[in-house]
Amino acid sequence: MKHNLLLVEDEALVREIVTDYFENEHWTIYEAETGVLALDLFEQHSIDLVILDIMLPELDGWTVCKQIRKSSDVPIIMLTANGEDDDKVLGYELGADDYVTKPFSPRVLVAQAKALLKRAEGRISGEEFLLQFGSLELNTKSYSVTIAGVDIDLSPKEYDLLIYLVRNKGIVLSRDTILNAVWGFDYFGDIRTVDTHIKKLRAKLGIESERIVTVIRAGYRFEAEK
């Protein structure tokens, strides 16, 4: 199936290179060199994934990411020339799903996009697709989460994290273990991103979150009763 990519980057050469690689994989590319144009294109087209540079004219990537997250959980990969961990943590807090520091390999970027999109679409083959614990229900086919019948909006990465915790119910999971399983062994960012995403999960899941995801010394445990 063909996918639509919104590529937001003010450097024409970078756009050209990235576009070539994704078009070779049969993606449809919508290019934006400013934050304002990016938001316009996002509204006009059905976008499956966003690659978003931070340093942009008119509106920076932080603002664009925040605006997109007001209405959509589309996967977002942030691009930056700054490898500072604080910037990465900020990106994750604003709703970004992955982070790539320039210079980067276009082939690796395509692979990251494919993996992220696959997880976002809930393509979990050979696994139980309906998981229920108390009033919490997860459907891995429809990529939905509800509590007492009320829909809970999660970003793709928050969803991946919750699924991983659910599938390891009752097991104390260290931050390193969670990071490797959800973000991948090739992730070199700040381990604090686990804490950030756990905090956001607990906030979104509401009053039950205190017993659903519990802090256990240097890790976390999913505890909801089935």
Side-chain angles (χ1 to χ4, degrees), residues 59 120 130 147 168 197:
L59 290 178
L130 189 61
I147 290 183
N168 290 276
H197 280 74

Side-chain angles (χ1 to χ4, degrees), residues 187-206:
Y187 175 78
F188 295 106
D190 194 328
I191 194 172
R192 288 178 298 171
T193 190
V194 174
D195 300 327
T196 298
H197 280 74
I198 291 286
K199 181 179 178 180
K200 291 176 72 174
L201 259 185
R202 294 176 71 167
K204 288 185 177 182
L205 295 178

Side-chain angles (χ1 to χ4, degrees), residues 15-214:
R15 289 201 311 274
E16 180 181 353
I17 294 172
V18 173
T19 294
D20 285 345
Y21 273 83
F22 276 90
E23 285 183 339
N24 285 338
E25 298 293 328
H26 309 294
W27 289 58
T28 298
I29 317 300
Y30 297 94
E31 297 183 34
E33 61 183 20
T34 71
V36 172
L37 179 56
L39 293 176
D40 287 343
L41 289 173
F42 188 81
E43 291 296 323
Q44 295 169 17
H45 302 281
S46 177
I47 301 298
D48 298 305
L49 186 138
V50 179
I51 295 178
L52 176 61
D53 191 22
I54 291 176
M55 301 303 293
L56 296 168
E58 300 178 14
L59 290 178
D60 62 24
W62 306 127
T63 304
V64 174
C65 181
K66 189 175 181 179
Q67 287 296 113
I68 289 176
R69 277 290 172 260
K70 287 182 179 180
S71 61
S72 174
D73 284 329
V74 64
I76 298 175
I77 299 176
M78 303 291 285
L79 295 180
T80 181
N82 186 352
E84 292 296 326
D85 287 341
D86 286 344
D87 280 355
K88 294 182 179 181
V89 171
L90 176 58
Y92 288 125
E93 288 177 344
L94 290 175
D97 298 289
D98 211 341
Y99 215 106
V100 174
T101 302
K102 298 178 181 177
F104 57 86
S105 164
R107 289 181 59 200
V108 172
L109 180 60
V110 171
Q112 286 176 282
K114 285 181 177 180
L116 183 57
L117 191 59
K118 184 176 181 180
R119 292 196 298 269
E121 291 174 342
R123 295 175 182 169
I124 307 176
S125 60
E127 296 179 346
E128 181 184 5
F129 72 89
L130 189 61
L131 304 173
Q132 190 166 7
F133 295 88
S135 60
L136 174 68
E137 185 174 287
L138 302 94
N139 189 314
T140 62
K141 283 189 175 179
S142 63
Y143 183 54
S144 63
V145 179
T146 62
I147 290 183
V150 178
D151 290 334
I152 307 298
D153 292 327
L154 300 180
S155 72
K157 191 62 72 179
E158 291 165 354
Y159 179 81
D160 289 345
L161 175 57
L162 181 58
I163 285 290
Y164 181 70
L165 292 170
V166 167
R167 294 196 185 283
N168 290 276
K169 175 181 177 290
I171 300 173
V172 178
L173 302 165
S174 70
R175 288 166 174 81
D176 282 329
T177 299
I178 295 172
L179 197 68
N180 289 335
V182 179
W183 278 263
F185 287 97
D186 58 348
Y187 175 78
F188 295 106
D190 194 328
I191 194 172
R192 288 178 298 171
T193 190
V194 174
D195 300 327
T196 298
H197 280 74
I198 291 286
K199 181 179 178 180
K200 291 176 72 174
L201 259 185
R202 294 176 71 167
K204 288 185 177 182
L205 295 178
I207 59 174
E208 291 201 4
S209 64
E210 292 301 320
R211 70 184 182 89
I212 287 176
V213 184
T214 301

